[in-house]
Amino acid sequence: MDLANIQNKPQLAAEEEIFDGANHQRQSEGVVANLKYLIVGVLFGIVFVKAEIVSWFRIQEMFRFDSFHMYGVIGSAVLVGLISIQLIRRFKIQTFQKEDVVISPKTFNKGQIFGGILFGVGWAITGACPGPLFAQIGSGFLAVVVTLLSAIGGTWTYGLLRSRLPH
């Protein structure tokens, strides 16, 4: 659902509104506002490269349990995320556009197990997950373009089959 459709829909009562985990902004952002995301993304990619998170060898070490490096990175990201979520909830932090940050409750389903296994197998085979794909391509690992196209194809396939998959 695009932002224009969200803005033009009549307001529904809270109990009638359906959230699928997507963010719902009230205001669209212009080109200048979106530049900040590009800048943060480039800086994030540089950090990924410098921390060797995009290294196929580091990823293989993780899956062979030969090194703590990637587990330390992932663990620290989880810790920062937990603290950040608690701070957002406790201090009712808003976006720069003064919109409330809504964190919807999550429900567990068996499809997450299958999806997690499929994701992990793909990660182990390709040495890439969606986070560092663009940093890997930007670093000159052009073979990762195949992984990117596969991720796009998998996302498209999921969207096509979503209604028939276990949720």
Side-chain angles (χ1 to χ4, degrees):
M1 178 179 293
D2 64 342
L3 186 59
N5 288 340
I6 291 171
Q7 289 175 338
N8 293 331
K9 280 190 173 182
Q11 290 296 328
L12 299 173
E15 59 272 5
E16 293 179 45
E17 199 162 354
I18 298 172
F19 290 100
D20 63 354
N23 295 320
H24 298 284
Q25 286 180 240
R26 289 188 293 270
Q27 302 172 24
S28 62
E29 295 181 305
V31 174
V32 174
N34 283 320
L35 274 175
K36 66 185 172 195
Y37 300 120
L38 177 64
I39 292 167
V40 169
V42 168
L43 293 174
F44 200 55
I46 291 169
V47 168
F48 272 20
V49 171
K50 293 295 184 183
E52 296 182 6
I53 294 170
V54 299
S55 168
W56 183 87
F57 298 105
R58 285 288 190 185
I59 293 167
Q60 290 301 308
E61 284 177 342
M62 175 184 69
F63 282 108
R64 284 187 266 129
F65 301 106
D66 288 342
S67 174
F68 180 75
H69 180 82
M70 291 296 287
Y71 293 110
V73 170
I74 293 168
S76 63
V78 168
L79 184 62
V80 168
L82 287 170
I83 293 169
S84 299
I85 295 293
Q86 293 307 313
L87 291 174
I88 289 168
R89 286 182 174 162
R90 181 166 295 154
F91 296 111
K92 299 188 184 341
I93 295 173
Q94 295 181 322
T95 67
F96 290 123
Q97 289 77 28
K98 303 298 182 206
E99 294 183 22
D100 291 329
V101 176
V102 179
I103 302 169
S104 303
K106 308 295 186 258
T107 57
F108 175 78
N109 61 59
K110 63 184 174 185
Q112 293 167 335
I113 299 294
F114 300 126
I117 290 170
L118 186 62
F119 181 88
V121 167
W123 192 8
I125 291 171
T126 64
C129 78
L133 275 178
F134 295 104
Q136 287 175 314
I137 293 168
S139 296
F141 302 113
L142 298 181
V144 178
V145 171
V146 173
T147 306
L148 175 63
L149 294 174
S150 299
I152 292 169
T155 303
W156 180 81
T157 303
Y158 172 75
L160 190 66
L161 301 175
R162 182 173 190 224
S163 62
R164 291 176 263 175
L165 295 172
H167 287 100

